[in-house]
Each structure stands twice: as C-alpha cells, then as structure tokens.
Amino acid sequence: MMTLFIWGRFRFDVTAVIALLASVALGLVPPDKAFSGFSDDIVIIVASALILSAAVQRSGLVELAVDRLADRLHRPGSQLFALTALVGAASGLIKNIGALAMLMPAASQLAKRSETNPSRFFMPMAFASLLGGLTTMVGTSPNIIVSRVREEMTGQPFRMFDYLPTGLGLLVIGLAFLQFGKRLLPERQAPVTMGEALNISAYTTEATVAAQASIIGDTVGSFVDSQEGSVEVTAVLRHGLRAEVLPDTMIEENDILILMGDPDALERAIAGAGLILHEPDASDHPDDQTGVIEAVVTAGSVLVGSNAGRLMLKERMGLRLIAISREGSRLKNKPSGVKIQAGDIVVLQGDLDAMPSQLSQLGVLALAQRPIRLGRERKGWLAIVILASAMIATASGLVPVAFAFFAGAGVVLITGALPAEDAYKAIEWPILIMLGALIPVSETLQTTGASNVLAVELARLASHLPPWGAVAMVLLISMAVTPFLNNAATVLVMAPIAAVFAHDLGYRPDAFLMATAIGAGCDFLTPIGHQCNTLVMGPGGYRFTDYARLGAPLSLLVLLAGPPLIMTFWPV
C-alpha cells in the first residue's frame, strides 16, 4: 500500500480501495468489518470541519480579518509566519483540526491577495497545528489518552498544561523551520474546476446605497481604492438620472452604483460596504432552494434583443437577473435594462429546482457550476458562533470532538449559514473514501498480533540503551507507527509499551509517556496519519510524497530536540 502511495500510479483514494480489497482477500479484514472505517470518528470530524470551514468562509468575516491582516503583511513570508503562528497558538486552546479549519479560509484569501499559491500556506499550517496541539491536553487526542494511561498507572493524570514546556519548545523550533523550510515544498495547484476554467471576470451588477451603508460621504475613487481596484464603478444613478462618474464624485444615500468585476470581488464589495444588491419585495423568500446559476445566452434565445425588465422575468418566472457579462464591453446600465445579445453571460437568481426547465424555455445554457455568492444572503457572525460553540463544547469535555463538529455542521445547515448544496460541494469526498477504506487496513496491525511482536522486540532493544536513548526510541517508534495507525491508535498501542519500558528499566514513566504523546502527534510524513494533514490535501493539491519533502526534516528536528526537552522537564 505504501509503495502504491509513493509510486502515484493510482489516485490516493483508489490506492486505499485496492488496499482494502487486498486485505479482505487475504483474510486480514473480515468482510463484515470492511466498511467499519466509514463510521469512524475521523471521517465525521474531517467532513464536518470542511463544512464548518466553508460556512466561516461564506460569512464574510474572514474577508474583514484578512483586510486588516493584509494591510500589515504584504510579503508571503510574513503572511506565512502569521498564519502558522496563529494556528499553532490556537491549536493549544482548541482542537487542532478546529483551529486549522477556522484559519484555512483566511489563508486562501491572503494567498489570493498576494498572488501566492495557497499550497505554500496549507501544509505548513497543518504542521503548525500539529505542533501547537502538543502544548495542552485538549490540543490533540494523544495527549488525552496518555493522561488517562498515566492515571491508570500512577493514580495521577497529566494536567491541562503539563504538556506546555515541551510542546511550546517544539512549536517555536517548528515555526522557525517552517519559515525557512518552505522552499522544500513543491508548487502544487488544486485541481481546477470547470467553473474556474471559465474565468469570467467582467460581470456588471447594480447595488443600492442604503441608509446603513458605510460608504455614504466617501468618493467613488476611495471606494474603488478600498477594493484594491478589483471593482470598477461604471455609472452612478441618482434620482433616476445618470450622474457623472469621476474619482471625486461623492456617494450619497439611495444612489444606485453600477459595478463591474468578478463575482467574488463584487460580493465582497457589496457586503463590505453595506450595499443592497436589489430591493427586496414581498415575493422574496430565500431558502435552501434559492440559488444562482451562470448561463450563456444562445442565438435563438427569447432574451436576445430585449431586456429582463421588459420581459418581466421576475414577475413571470420568479427569475432575477442580478449580473451580466459581455466580452469586450463596459456596461453602464442596470442589468435589468441592458439589451441582451447572443453570447452574453448572465447570472440568474431563482428556485434551483425550477431553473433547468426555465433556462430551457429562455434558450440559455447553464455553464459548469462554480460557487457564486453574489445574490446569496450572508449570515454574518452566525458561522463563527457555531464553530466557537463546537470548540468550547469539545475543550470543556462536554461532548466528544466528533459529535461537537457534527452538531456544528448540522446547525450550520439548519440555520442556513451554509446552504445544503454548498455543504456537499465543500466536502472532499475522495479524502473521506481514503480514510474510510484505510482505517480497517490499519487496524490489522493490532488484530493480527503484529503490534505485540513489535512490542517484544522494542522492549528487548531498549533495555540496552541509556535513558535518553530509550526516550528517543519511544519517540522515534511512535512517529514511525503513526502513519500506519491513526494517532489515537498509536498511543493506545505504544503507551503501555512505554510504561513497561520505564518499569523494567527502573525509571519513572512520565518521560516515556510524554515521548509517546509527542511522537503520535507529529506525523509530518503522510496525509493519512493525522486528520489535519488529510484536511489540507485536497485544497492544496498535494501528492502523497509531498508531505515527506517538508515533513522529513521537521521530523528529524523533533527527534533531535524532543528527548532533551522531555528529560529537562520530566527527569527519569
């Protein structure tokens, strides 16, 4: 299986399926247990984290935070340090995968602002979240399990911040390495969707300056500058008349701004300035079935030669034309007032269930679907509150992390903070297939007795080593086993072995248990040993072997620095 992963001949989820089929064929995995991995907590955590991350991204608050961060951090290097430091610090306070899910949208936005490949940020952030999780008991699952093992052996568990001295030291060392070691990471691109390949960037829409708009009294020039030139004001309609558009034209309440730009830029500008995309009326009832679709107007369309206002699309079909794009043209009228031509690209808002037949009636062809937020309602702080609640519930021990994240994802859907269709698009299904297929395969190390054989051999080797060597061996083996088991399973296998080491050699168990926790929490070599690594694989476009290029030197640093740090604070 590992050879196939490294070879790369098959996609990672296909390789996982091959491994599962082979394990069943060889009798290592019983057929009735073949699909047990799909009910594992890790699968639920990863899927729920992706949904929560998408909801946070859609809330619009990420853009506000990125705006402030981008004003101070202009270079990719400083942005990388800020992101890794933030996720590292946050991972000690909340579950590390939650911290990573929360900050991934910010990384995407910063990468876009600085024209940097987001793959330069995602993997270092995942590694920083693993290191940050070592600093407290709630940061990662191995710390909780090791605390329980210590309580069973000595009657006294590790406390919340007992992990801080060693974990913080490794976090600082790791952040310094990631800042300079990022050159080891190859350039990767996430697979480009058909929607992204279209690259339509010249949409025109209208927005009303409402009483609560923050740009009242500002000039057109300052508004455009605040959007970094990503949005252009092509016309200002005031009291039904067209006002001259100059950089020093003052924006007044009830002005209608005709804006041009790509959909994401338009959506950010409208939401950030407090503008209204269209005046709501009694027939507007936004729900999960309301959405937007891009479509191209064909030569035989009934729209050609007319406009949406004259055709009464809203009144007759419940469709609203919210944006229009025409190659090589700079439109200065409301979308509803533009005379439509064949080849125009339109963004229509309406009932998604009814749209296919309506588009056929109009003679327009839907384009490859891509996420268009223009014309969709934002829920502001709601997604952040839901994610924070899930994290607090986990940190307080009220509920397990899998249920907290699943409940958070469910509330996001129930409240409309993220439409159901967007939630399904946010999930990286190949990643979940890989996890579900590999979990039964990894469990064969325990069910076949292979782990017991390893334990006996390790105990024999460790008995001839000095104290620091024995601690280093436990750390090394824990790091080596984690890619094959998940981190929690590694601790369950290795912690009792580490405790036996300590007892047989006449040492206290603390240093060995701490080494087990650190080793199990530091899988920098594969995307399958920890869910944080798995979470960034799809969005970063990484290959299986990419992790070792950056992760192997970091693993060596942890192996060299870990034993001295552990034995300084936990003498044997």
Side-chain angles (χ1 to χ4, degrees):
M1 181 189 72
M2 298 301 291
T3 301
L4 286 177
F5 273 130
I6 295 170
W7 182 26
R9 172 64 178 83
F10 302 102
R11 206 171 71 171
F12 55 86
D13 53 336
V14 177
T15 296
V17 170
I18 292 172
L20 178 59
L21 293 174
S23 296
V24 173
L26 293 170
L28 301 176
V29 175
D32 60 338
K33 300 292 184 182
F35 307 118
S36 60
F38 291 97
S39 63
D40 193 275
D41 284 358
I42 292 179
V43 176
I44 302 300
I45 290 170
V46 171
S48 301
L50 287 167
I51 292 174
L52 288 168
S53 179
V56 171
Q57 171 77 61
R58 188 173 184 268
S59 71
L61 298 176
V62 171
E63 285 96 332
L64 296 178
V66 169
D67 284 340
R68 297 185 179 181
L69 197 59
D71 290 340
R72 295 171 175 82
L73 305 173
H74 303 285
R75 299 173 63 85
S78 58
Q79 293 171 348
L80 175 63
F81 180 77
L83 289 168
T84 52
L86 281 172
V87 76
S91 295
L93 303 175
I94 55 181
K95 186 76 174 172
N96 50 13
I97 189 168
L100 181 60
M102 183 172 62
L103 288 170
M104 278 177 65
S108 296
Q109 291 291 332
L110 275 179
K112 189 173 183 180
R113 295 286 185 87
S114 62
E115 297 183 349
T116 303
N117 189 332
S119 68
R120 290 291 185 184
F121 293 157
F122 286 150
M123 190 183 295
M125 288 174 64
F127 290 173
S129 71
L130 297 185
L131 293 168
L134 303 177
T135 57
T136 66
M137 189 170 70
V138 299
T140 187
S141 302
N143 290 358
I144 299 173
I145 298 172
V146 161
S147 177
R148 189 174 67 205
V149 172
R150 185 179 190 248
E151 183 177 21
E152 292 172 353
M153 295 206 56
T154 67
Q156 184 68 34
F158 284 124
R159 293 169 298 179
M160 179 72 170
F161 295 104
D162 283 348
Y163 303 88
L164 185 60
T166 54
L168 184 59
L170 292 174
L171 175 61
V172 171
I173 293 170
L175 290 177
F177 167 78
L178 291 173
Q179 187 65 21
F180 297 101
K182 58 181 180 291
R183 298 176 182 84
L184 299 172
L185 199 58
E187 284 282 344
R188 297 294 185 209
Q189 292 285 352
V192 177
T193 65
M194 285 298 295
E196 292 169 334
L198 294 171
N199 195 28
I200 302 167
S201 60
Y203 272 119
T204 297
T205 191
E206 63 175 298
T208 303
V209 182
Q212 74 274 15
S214 61
I215 62 171
I216 295 176
D218 291 347
T219 65
V220 168
S222 63
F223 170 65
V224 172
D225 289 342
S226 69
Q227 303 302 316
E228 298 180 346
S230 60
V231 169
E232 181 183 356
V233 180
T234 61
V236 177
L237 307 182
R238 183 172 296 164
H239 308 301
L241 301 174
R242 190 183 305 277
E244 188 176 7
V245 181
L246 298 171
D248 57 354
T249 298
M250 299 294 291
I251 299 174
E252 300 179 3
E253 184 180 346
N254 295 323
D255 282 352
I256 295 178
L257 305 182
I258 307 301
L259 306 174
M260 188 171 76
D262 71 67
D264 284 345
L266 290 172
E267 199 269 345
R268 282 197 303 270
I270 291 169
L275 305 178
I276 297 177
L277 185 63
H278 59 77
E279 291 294 341
D281 55 48
S283 63
D284 283 329
H285 300 288
D287 55 29
D288 271 357
Q289 300 307 313
T290 300
V292 291
I293 285 182
E294 291 175 294
V296 60
V297 179
T298 65
S301 171
V302 297
L303 299 177
V304 175
S306 188
N307 59 54
R310 188 181 306 162
L311 292 171
M312 301 178 67
L313 288 181
K314 182 71 175 80
E315 294 77 10
R316 290 174 49 236
M317 307 180 75
L319 292 176
R320 189 187 298 277
L321 176 63
I322 61 174
I324 184 169
S325 175
R326 179 174 299 162
E327 182 68 26
S329 296
R330 194 167 171 270
L331 304 176
K332 298 184 179 181
N333 202 354
K334 294 182 179 182
S336 60
V338 173
K339 183 180 288 189
I340 298 174
Q341 299 177 5
D344 286 350
I345 308 295
V346 294
V347 177
L348 296 169
Q349 180 189 53
D351 188 328
L352 290 173
D353 290 337
M355 271 197 189
S357 63
Q358 291 172 337
L359 296 181
S360 178
Q361 292 176 43
L362 293 174
V364 296
L365 299 176
L367 298 178
Q369 203 164 18
R370 63 171 173 169
I372 297 285
R373 293 181 295 174
L374 190 64
R376 292 174 179 254
E377 183 184 7
R378 286 193 178 202
K379 295 291 185 177
W381 287 93
L382 184 57
I384 299 291
V385 171
I386 293 171
L387 179 58
S389 300
M391 292 176 175
I392 292 171
T394 299
S396 63
L398 188 64
V399 293
V401 61
F403 182 80
F405 273 55
F406 180 78
V411 174
V412 157
L413 298 177
I414 293 168
T415 58
L418 187 70
E421 56 167 316
D422 291 349
Y424 283 110
K425 292 176 188 174
I427 296 175
E428 297 280 350
W429 295 104
I431 299 294
L432 299 190
I433 295 296
M434 179 188 72
L435 288 174
L438 285 191
I439 288 170
V441 177
S442 68
E443 289 175 351
T444 60
L445 280 177
Q446 299 174 65
T447 57
T448 61
S451 59
N452 293 331
V453 174
L454 292 173
V456 171
E457 290 301 314
L458 292 175
R460 182 177 60 81
L461 291 174
S463 62
H464 303 292
L465 295 174
W468 65 265
V471 171
M473 171 171 277
V474 171
L475 177 59
L476 173 63
I477 298 303
S478 298
M479 292 174 69
V481 170
T482 299
F484 299 93
L485 301 174
N486 63 64
N487 56 354
T490 297
V491 175
L492 290 173
V493 172
M494 288 299 302
I497 297 173
V500 171
F501 281 173
H503 180 270
D504 290 349
L505 298 174
Y507 300 136
R508 300 181 205 170
D510 298 338
F512 297 89
L513 292 175
M514 196 64 67
T516 302
I518 291 173
C522 289
D523 174 30
F524 306 122
L525 300 177
T526 72
I528 59 177
H530 197 283
Q531 54 263 41
C532 288
N533 291 353
T534 307
L535 190 63
V536 301
M537 188 177 186
Y542 300 120
R543 299 175 186 172
F544 191 92
T545 53
D546 291 343
Y547 288 80
R549 294 184 62 167
L550 183 65
L554 182 57
S555 299
L556 183 60
L557 272 178
V558 171
L559 187 59
L560 293 175
L565 278 171
I566 293 170
M567 296 183 69
T568 298
F569 298 101
W570 299 98
V572 298

